[in-house]
């Protein structure tokens, strides 16, 4: 607006000056003709000018000089023009001079009578033009101010409206705390950027809510699992101390207490491992180990503590090169995962046996654990890897529900995957895929 206003003002000012100068020029020419033709070099002369000549201009005054600076005629005796030398110089060179003196527009032109050349200087005030320019200036300033104010108000109003969904989201997010993770931000129509942002935000809240709920559950379950053996130990010792006992009675009670303590140690170890593996994330540069060696070691250890377990390990017929079954990872963690799967397979089957097959496909190492046990009900399969979740049909078996979630975490840390297929009463097949190193 400012640039447009300045352009309008200056083009108008230019136009006014040119217009007025051409009037002044034609008046000056008329006056020169009148004066020089009549040889009446009299100050009142131009007052007589009238019909046939251009109209008089406000405050006009004229001066006619020879090129030697002799004043031939002046309509105003008191007129002092400082630039007279400059004007005559220019006029001599056949150039028109236009300049401004106070409010006067001053014009210098040359006029020839045939024999002699004269310099004719005219000056007048463009009262109408200047008034017009003054009005234009005021109008433009008012227009600029009004548009500045109205643009500011409109900008403030529309930007407020445009940003309102964001401020709504912000104030809603402010209300969401750990205890109110169930709250969601308004998604509006969900189609524009803000709607999409709100949708993404809500999805994130959903994930946060689930993981918080899982954590809460985890802590409750862990405390419960730890409290059970502690209560049992407490009860057994209290009963034991009620009266004097024989050495055999003490022995058998301590044996049972020891069992409870062992199960607590086992649970704490697994919980610590879960905490460690989930904190560490996927392993980077790790030592290379053959998967069959880990399988043999796990088999040996399991058999030592559970002589009734039948663990059959065999390579897949497709396996041709031992290089194909080298994995990069943590030997202890992988052995823990495999031992857990072996223990489950044997524990949940009446024949206490498991068939383990290992091989390779493309760039993956494949290990399959297959048993003919109680199987896992369909509705439990998805949740089975959650900490402390136990199948409906496994309640009568000892266990804490922490093993599979530990296995899942370890396999994830080794950039592998775990797949469980099972049929109740027929058996379970667990397939591990680990990237080959
Ligand atoms: P736990 O065996 O201590 O209960 P896990 O996390 O190892 O805990 O297993 C979770 C649940 O998965 C078990 O309670 C059981 O219902 C089911 N499950 C795991 N492996 C098997 C299997 N081989 N056969 C049948 N059910 C299984």
């Amino acid at each position: 607006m400012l640039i447009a206003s300045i352009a309008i003002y200056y083009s108008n000012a230019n136009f006014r000056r040119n217009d007025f100068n051409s009037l002044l020029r034609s008046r000056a020419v008329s006056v020169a003709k009148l004066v020089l033709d009549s040889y009446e070099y009299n100050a009142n002369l131009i007052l007589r000018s009238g019909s046939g000549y251009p109209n008089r201009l406000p405050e006009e005054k004229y001066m006619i000089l020879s090129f030697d600076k002799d004043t031939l005629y002046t309509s105003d005796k008191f007129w002092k023009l400082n630039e007279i030398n400059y004007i005559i110089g220019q006029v001599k060179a056949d150039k028109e001079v236009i300049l401004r003196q106070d409010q006067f527009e001053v014009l210098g032109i040359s006029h020839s009578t045939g024999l002699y050349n004269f310099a004719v200087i005219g000056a007048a005030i463009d009262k109408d033009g200047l008034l017009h320019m003054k009005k234009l200036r005021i109008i433009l300033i008012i227009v600029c101010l009004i548009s500045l104010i109205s643009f500011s108000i409109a900008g403030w109003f529309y930007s407020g409206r445009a940003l309102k969904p964001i401020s709504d989201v912000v104030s809603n997010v402010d209300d969401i705390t750990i205890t109110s993770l169930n709250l969601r931000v308004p998604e509006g129509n969900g189609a524009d950027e803000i709607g999409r942002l709100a949708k993404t935000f809500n999805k994130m809240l959903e994930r946060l809510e689930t993981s918080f709920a899982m954590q809460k559950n985890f802590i409750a379950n862990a405390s419960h699992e730890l409290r059970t053996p502690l209560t049992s130990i407490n009860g057994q010792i209290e009963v034991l101390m009620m009266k004097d006992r024989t050495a055999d009675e003490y022995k058998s009670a301590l044996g049972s207490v020891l069992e409870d303590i062992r199960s607590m140690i086992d649970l704490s170890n697994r919980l610590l491992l879960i905490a460690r593996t989930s904190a560490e994330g996927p392993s980077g540069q790790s030592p290379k180990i053959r998967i069959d060696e880990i399988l043999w070691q796990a088999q040996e250890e399991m058999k030592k503590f559970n002589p009734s377990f039948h663990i059959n390990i065999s390579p897949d017929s497709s396996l041709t090169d031992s290089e194909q079954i080298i994995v990069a990872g943590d030997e202890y963690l992988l052995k823990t995962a495999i031992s857990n799967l072996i223990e489950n397979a044997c524990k949940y089957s009446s024949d206490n046996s498991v068939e383990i097959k290992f091989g390779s496909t493309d760039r993956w190492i494949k290990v399959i654990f297959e048993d003919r046990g109680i199987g896992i009900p369909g509705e439990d399969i998805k949740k089975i890897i959650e900490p402390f979740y136990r199948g409906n049909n496994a309640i009568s078996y000892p266990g804490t529900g922490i093993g599979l979630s530990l296995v899942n975490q370890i396999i994830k840390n080794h950039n592998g995957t775990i797949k469980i297929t099972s049929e109740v009463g027929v058996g379970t097949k667990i397939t591990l895929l680990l990237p080959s190193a």
Side-chain angles (χ1 to χ4, degrees):
M1 280 301 292
L2 201 68
I3 291 170
S5 303
I6 290 171
I8 289 170
Y9 183 78
Y10 277 100
S11 66
N12 257 270
N14 229 0
F15 178 75
R16 178 202 65 79
R17 195 174 305 119
N18 289 342
D19 200 35
F20 189 72
N21 280 335
S22 72
L23 283 178
L24 191 58
R25 189 180 302 109
S26 55
R27 270 296 280 172
V29 170
S30 313
V31 168
K33 268 190 192 154
L34 195 71
V35 169
L36 295 171
D37 289 354
S38 65
Y39 298 104
E40 275 187 64
Y41 308 143
N42 169 343
N44 298 324
L45 191 70
I46 55 170
L47 297 177
R48 294 211 313 258
S49 65
S51 58
Y53 294 106
N55 286 337
R56 297 192 61 177
L57 297 171
E59 313 274 339
E60 64 177 3
K61 46 193 180 185
Y62 300 95
M63 196 187 277
I64 301 174
L65 302 117
S66 72
F67 280 3
D68 302 327
K69 291 174 214 160
D70 292 331
T71 308
L72 214 64
Y73 162 80
T74 177
S75 63
D76 180 357
K77 274 187 272 177
F78 307 104
W79 187 14
K80 280 218 160 51
L81 201 56
N82 297 330
E83 294 90 349
I84 208 141
N85 288 338
Y86 165 73
I87 294 173
I88 290 185
Q90 290 295 100
V91 169
K92 253 183 180 173
D94 213 17
K95 284 184 191 153
E96 188 176 289
V97 181
I98 297 169
L99 45 90
R100 190 92 194 259
Q101 198 187 43
D102 302 328
Q103 281 193 304
F104 282 89
E105 305 286 339
V106 180
L107 177 86
I109 50 170
S110 75
H111 184 84
S112 165
T113 54
L115 285 174
Y116 302 104
N117 285 323
F118 301 94
V120 181
I121 303 172
I125 299 176
D126 183 9
K127 281 192 175 157
D128 288 348
L130 289 178
L131 191 70
H132 166 79
M133 290 314 293
K134 195 176 166 186
K135 277 186 190 159
L136 185 66
R137 220 163 32 230
I138 292 169
I139 289 171
L140 288 177
I141 288 171
I142 291 172
V143 166
C144 272
L145 282 178
I146 288 176
S147 40
L148 186 73
I149 293 167
S150 45
F151 283 143
S152 302
I153 293 171
W156 177 77
F157 178 72
Y158 281 105
S159 65
R161 264 179 58 160
L163 297 179
K164 191 171 176 298
I166 295 188
S167 55
D168 282 355
V169 168
V170 170
S171 66
N172 269 282
V173 170
D174 270 346
D175 292 342
I176 299 173
T177 61
I178 285 190
T179 49
S180 58
L181 273 176
N182 57 327
L183 294 181
R184 296 289 179 267
V185 297
E187 291 180 4
N189 59 8
D192 56 10
E193 276 69 19
I194 294 161
R196 290 219 302 272
L197 179 77
K199 247 184 188 166
T200 317
F201 205 83
N202 281 343
K203 273 189 206 153
M204 188 188 75
L205 279 174
E206 223 165 277
R207 289 198 296 271
L208 272 180
E209 195 186 1
T210 340
S211 80
F212 262 76
M214 269 172 70
Q215 272 198 14
K216 260 194 206 160
N217 256 341
F218 185 90
I219 293 171
N221 286 327
S223 323
H224 179 258
E225 288 300 326
L226 285 171
R227 207 182 52 192
T228 313
L230 278 174
T231 321
S232 147
I233 291 170
N234 188 49
Q236 287 178 76
I237 293 176
E238 268 177 12
V239 170
L240 203 63
M241 286 176 70
M242 275 177 175
K243 57 177 187 174
D244 285 344
R245 308 272 176 185
T246 62
D248 279 350
E249 280 173 328
Y250 279 123
K251 241 187 191 173
S252 96
L254 281 178
S256 151
V257 167
L258 195 63
E259 215 169 88
D260 282 335
I261 291 176
R262 275 203 189 119
S263 84
M264 266 175 65
I265 293 173
D266 183 52
L267 177 65
S268 327
N269 281 343
R270 289 184 191 204
L271 287 175
L272 278 174
L273 262 185
I274 286 198
R276 203 187 100 192
T277 45
S278 53
E280 275 173 2
S283 52
Q285 281 289 337
S286 309
K288 293 177 179 172
I289 344 142
R290 282 177 57 157
I291 200 79
D292 55 340
E293 272 175 20
I294 303 177
L295 287 169
W296 300 122
Q297 281 176 28
Q299 180 198 39
E300 206 173 302
E301 278 175 26
M302 291 307 295
K303 279 204 151 171
K304 213 181 334 177
F305 295 109
N306 308 283
S308 61
F309 284 5
H310 303 287
I311 307 160
N312 291 320
I313 304 174
S314 57
D316 198 83
S317 55
S318 62
L319 192 69
T320 51
D321 188 358
S322 62
E323 286 286 310
Q324 294 170 322
I325 49 161
I326 291 178
V327 62
D330 185 316
E331 188 177 342
Y332 174 70
L333 290 180
L334 285 173
K335 201 162 50 180
T336 308
I338 286 168
S339 302
N340 267 291
L341 293 175
I342 293 176
E343 190 188 343
N344 276 353
C346 295
K347 185 168 73 179
Y348 294 114
S349 42
S350 53
D351 59 357
N352 291 149
S353 62
V354 57
E355 282 293 328
I356 305 176
K357 280 216 163 65
F358 62 92
S360 79
T361 49
D362 283 338
R363 306 180 65 228
W364 295 93
I365 299 166
K366 194 172 175 184
V367 189
I368 303 172
F369 300 80
E370 210 164 359
D371 65 61
R372 290 180 295 279
I374 57 168
I376 307 168
E379 67 273 15
D380 289 338
I381 284 195
K382 269 190 190 159
K383 297 184 182 166
I384 220 82
I385 53 168
E386 281 176 22
F388 299 107
Y389 193 92
R390 303 198 70 205
N392 274 331
N393 55 349
I395 306 297
S396 56
Y397 292 80
T400 52
I402 204 82
L404 272 186
S405 71
L406 178 60
V407 173
N408 182 48
Q409 190 61 52
I410 293 173
I411 299 302
K412 242 167 59 184
N413 276 24
H414 286 80
N415 301 314
T417 53
I418 179 167
K419 190 177 148 208
I420 305 171
T421 49
S422 185
E423 206 175 315
V424 176
V426 178
T428 303
K429 184 176 167 184
I430 298 185
T431 311
L432 297 187
L433 282 178
L434 288 162
S436 157

